[in-house]
Every structure is written in structure tokens, then in C-alpha cells.
Amino acid sequence: MAELLSTKMHETLPEKYVRPETQRPLFSEVITGTKIPIIDLKSPVDQIISQIAHASQSYGFFQVVNHGIPDELLLKVMAIAIEFFRLPAEEKEKLYTDDPTKKVRLSTSFNVARETVHNWRDYLRMHCYPLEKFMPEWPSKPDLFKEIISTYCKEVRQLGMKLLGAISLSLGLEEDYIKEALGEQEQHMAVNFYPQCPEPELTYSLPAHTDPNALTILLQDPEVAGLHVLKDGKWIAVDPLPGALVINIGDQLQALSNGRYKSVWHRAVVNSSKERLSVASFLCPSNSALVSPAKKLTEITPPVYRDYTYDEYYKKFWSRNLDQEHCLELFKS
Ligand code: OGA
Ligand code: NI
């Protein structure tokens, strides 16, 4: 069994986390101080839609404020997440597995059984929809974990559906187009814990990747930065904006939009002074959903991708390393 990082202190970076010299983060070249678009969801609808269109085409990322999820709940989610990773090692061991097919699992790095270099991350990954089905398998400690996380899951799903409606409209499609196309969507959550790292310039907490799902809603640590997004060949740091949520277009929306919207490369880095936490919520097509570029969009540009089921896509994604070529490249028509 691989070891969780969160169960002990690390004075030096173990060899198996060291990236080859050509693959390291190069902090001095990361752009700070510029921002990915911030969209106020209390703005007039037309404005929101045009901002989403712009952000999804040129960044693949945006942040939302006034999203309707109370600040207080976001703080509670962060607090219970950190409490979870501080549980005694024996408690966490009960949930540990390297098997990515398990629907509730505590693991480390990304795909420890397959990868050659590990990532400086522990994570709890859980299926969240329908809640009644999966909640019984969720961690029963800390005491308030299920209550707080399930409340957040419901809010996130609501926000996600609202955003998918706005994204549909921004593509010139019917408001419920994406919702219908993706079927009964699954919802997964990754609670990421990135401990302080003795040599952050040699490793990643998550190497460059794109998200395989449809839409990701990320709650970032309000105090510790670490997310980078690739824009025009340069890495941009997404500094935390307390109360905001970071939204990104996943591979499935890139396919559905026939390549108009971008599932952009992003990565997470660590630092030597502070641990960092993030909670990613993933909306995913149902396994049997047939994903294909929207017909209305292929009248303008021929289909870039072939039709496939999400089941096929997801299996392909987890059979690879995180930082290989864009998984969608393998589904071109
Ligand atoms: C992810 C992800 C970024 C972060 O979980 O897919 O990109 O900052 N997380 O934790
Ligand atoms: Ni991601």
C-alpha cells in the first residue's frame, strides 16, 4: 500500500516525487497578478452569457461570485475537509485504496498503481449523486462530514445546472440542450489535500491535465495559492478570491461545443510553508450518454470529434497518465 502524505511529516522530498528536470514547474516563469475572468452571477442575463462565451473560448476557466452558495457554507466545507485529513492514520487507512474504480476512496497522488512519478497530494474521491445511494459509504468521521458535504453537494449541483443552462445559451443552443444531452449526470467530488512540501520546485500536487468530465466547480483554499492555468503557452496563477468558485470547461463540453469551448490544461503546485486544500466538484455525463458535437454547431464547422459514450471516454482517461496528450485527441473524427 502506498502511503498517505498526510499521515507523517516530510523533511526531504522522496525520490519518487522528483520530476525530471525538463518537467518542473519553473516558478519564475509563472504569470501572477493577471486574472482569469470574474463573472458576477447577479448581473443581467445577457451580460453573463456574453462573459461566459468569452471566458470559455479564450480561457476555458472563469470565477463566479454572487453564485448563491453562502460563504458560511464554503468555510464549513473547508474546515471539515481539513479535519478529515487530520484524522488519525488508522481511521484513514480504512478508506484507503489504489483502485480508481471504487466510488468512495481515499488515495494519494493520482493513479499510484500506474504512474512512474508521484504527485504531492492526498485525496478523498466520492460519488455524490444520487446522495441517498452514495452517502452511506462516505466517511463517518468527522461527525459533521456527511451533513456539511451533502448540503454543499446539493448547492453545487444546482449552481452547475444553472451554469450549464447559461453555457448552452452562450453557444446559441436551447437552454436545456446540454442538460438533455448529458443524461442523468453523475456528480463526483475530489477533496484534495496538499501538504507542505520540502522541495516544491521539483514536483507537482497535480501535473498539467485537463478534466475529463463536463464541468468542474472548484472551491479553492481562500488563503493559499497553487492553481495554474495555461493561456497562450504561459502558466497563469489563479490567486484565490475568497467566496468565489472557479469554474472550468471539461473535455465533454469541448466535444459538445465542437471545439469552440476549451478544456484547458491546468496544474497545481505546492509550497514549502503552508498546506493547501481544494474541493473539486465534477459534473459528468451519465455513463451511457452518447457525447457528440451539437448538430447546430456542426452546420457551421464539420464535426471535430466522433460520437462516443462517456463510458468509453472515462475508461480511456483512467488508463493513461494524467499528463499525456489531451485525451480528446484520441476521439477526433
Ligand atoms: C482537479 C484540479 C486543482 C486544484 O482536481 O482536477 O485541477 O487547485 N484541482 O486543486
Ligand atoms: Ni483539474
Side-chain angles (χ1 to χ4, degrees):
M1 172 176 136
E3 220 176 335
L4 287 167
L5 291 166
S6 56
T7 50
K8 65 177 214 193
M9 284 297 290
H10 297 266
E11 307 276 316
T12 56
L13 187 71
E15 199 59 41
K16 56 186 197 270
Y17 290 87
V18 178
R19 292 270 157 185
E21 216 165 313
T22 54
Q23 292 174 16
R24 294 176 187 169
L26 293 174
F27 289 112
S28 62
E29 293 183 9
V30 174
I31 299 179
T32 52
T34 64
K35 285 196 171 61
I36 60 167
I38 296 168
I39 302 181
D40 182 345
L41 296 186
K42 282 218 173 110
S43 316
V45 177
D46 287 0
Q47 196 174 318
I48 296 174
I49 288 170
S50 72
Q51 287 177 333
I52 286 183
H54 171 254
S56 307
Q57 284 178 55
S58 12
Y59 290 85
F61 267 79
F62 51 94
Q63 309 205 53
V64 291
V65 296
N66 284 322
H67 43 63
I69 307 184
D71 275 359
E72 199 196 347
L73 179 58
L74 302 183
L75 294 172
K76 280 187 186 166
V77 169
M78 280 292 172
I80 205 81
I82 193 76
E83 226 183 286
F84 173 81
F85 284 100
R86 295 217 170 107
L87 287 172
E90 315 82 74
E91 197 61 45
K92 286 187 285 186
E93 226 151 78
K94 292 184 204 159
L95 292 162
Y96 187 90
T97 170
D98 289 349
D99 176 1
T101 64
K102 292 270 184 296
K103 293 179 191 315
V104 176
R105 61 195 176 96
L106 176 61
S107 197
T108 191
S109 188
F110 170 66
N111 199 350
V112 256
R114 292 186 51 88
E115 64 205 13
T116 44
V117 186
H118 296 327
N119 308 303
W120 201 254
R121 157 174 99 139
D122 286 346
Y123 66 106
L124 173 66
R125 209 178 153 108
M126 308 186 293
H127 282 220
C128 310
Y129 186 85
L131 278 167
E132 319 77 76
K133 180 168 170 197
F134 296 110
M135 247 171 82
E137 296 172 50
W138 287 7
S140 48
K141 284 191 184 147
D143 290 343
L144 290 175
F145 184 88
K146 286 187 188 182
E147 187 183 319
I148 293 170
I149 298 296
S150 62
T151 306
Y152 179 67
C153 284
K154 285 183 235 169
E155 295 271 354
V156 159
R157 192 171 183 89
Q158 227 177 32
L159 173 64
M161 294 303 161
K162 193 169 145 188
L163 289 169
L164 289 177
I167 291 169
S168 293
L169 291 170
S170 75
L171 286 163
L173 305 168
E174 300 287 327
E175 184 167 6
D176 57 2
Y177 182 89
I178 294 175
K179 231 195 288 189
E180 300 277 307
L182 301 184
E184 187 74 347
Q185 287 179 73
E186 292 198 4
Q187 183 178 347
H188 303 172
M189 174 183 271
V191 185
N192 298 310
F193 179 73
Y194 309 121
Q196 283 145 281
C197 176
E199 291 177 277
E201 61 289 336
L202 303 183
T203 193
Y204 292 102
S205 41
L206 274 177
H209 67 281
T210 67
D211 291 352
N213 50 294
L215 189 75
T216 304
I217 299 179
L218 182 79
L219 171 59
Q220 283 213 84
D221 194 310
E223 279 157 26
V224 189
L227 173 64
H228 297 164
V229 172
L230 194 63
K231 161 91 172 137
D232 304 328
K234 299 219 158 62
W235 290 102
I236 305 181
V238 181
D239 292 334
L241 179 64
L245 292 162
V246 179
I247 312 294
N248 69 289
I249 299 291
D251 295 353
Q252 304 317 311
L253 291 188
Q254 177 168 332
L256 196 140
S257 70
N258 202 26
R260 206 192 286 184
Y261 288 178
K262 302 292 185 300
S263 176
V264 163
W265 293 94
H266 54 285
R267 66 185 193 184
V269 294
V270 269
N271 71 78
S272 56
S273 55
K274 276 189 162 168
E275 61 198 20
R276 176 170 179 262
L277 208 64
S278 75
V279 178
S281 297
F282 306 103
L283 286 176
C284 328
S286 79
N287 265 321
S288 59
L290 191 67
V291 180
S292 61
K295 294 288 164 290
K296 201 164 169 189
L297 303 176
T298 57
E299 286 162 10
I300 312 165
T301 324
V304 179
Y305 306 104
R306 68 170 171 88
D307 297 359
Y308 56 82
T309 61
Y310 188 57
D311 187 49
E312 182 190 354
Y313 195 90
Y314 205 62
K315 287 199 176 109
K316 177 66 88 191
F317 179 83
W318 280 97
S319 71
R320 303 158 69 251
N321 282 324
L322 200 51
D323 48 359
Q324 276 172 306
E325 65 178 331
H326 207 305
C327 193
L328 262 184
E329 288 294 312
L330 307 172
F331 292 81
K332 285 219 153 135
S333 60

